[in-house]
Amino acid sequence: HISYISCIILAKETPGQFCIRGTRITVYVLVDFVDKGKSIPDIIQDYPDLEAEDIRQALEYNQEINTGLGPA
């Protein structure tokens, strides 16, 4: 089980959605970008406050939640 505490938080600005810490960028938005074929370097170019590890953790978090292995 991976800990995402350092990267992903439930933000006040986006009620009910998990965001990358220090941003309003939701996990859902990042997953949607990747699903539409956007690469991690492309996302970072558009959102320079993000790091590749932020995106990787968001994708892993989403995968765990959707497979029922994530945090309760």
Side-chain angles (χ1 to χ4, degrees):
H1 175 74
I2 300 170
S3 172
Y4 302 99
I5 295 286
S6 63
C7 179
I8 301 171
I9 61 165
L10 185 60
K12 293 181 211 173
E13 297 86 4
T14 55
Q17 296 186 40
F18 288 89
C19 295
I20 302 300
R21 182 179 49 163
T23 75
R24 294 182 181 181
I25 303 167
T26 65
V27 169
Y28 173 79
V29 166
L30 295 177
V31 169
D32 189 52
F33 285 154
V34 171
D35 285 347
K36 291 179 178 175
K38 206 165 203 182
S39 69
I40 290 176
D42 289 341
I43 296 169
I44 292 171
Q45 185 174 357
D46 292 343
Y47 296 91
D49 290 339
L50 293 178
E51 297 178 4
E53 185 60 22
D54 295 329
I55 299 166
R56 278 192 286 276
Q57 285 191 22
L59 296 174
E60 289 175 12
Y61 175 81
N62 183 69
Q63 184 176 7
E64 283 196 19
I65 292 300
N66 287 322
T67 58
L69 302 175

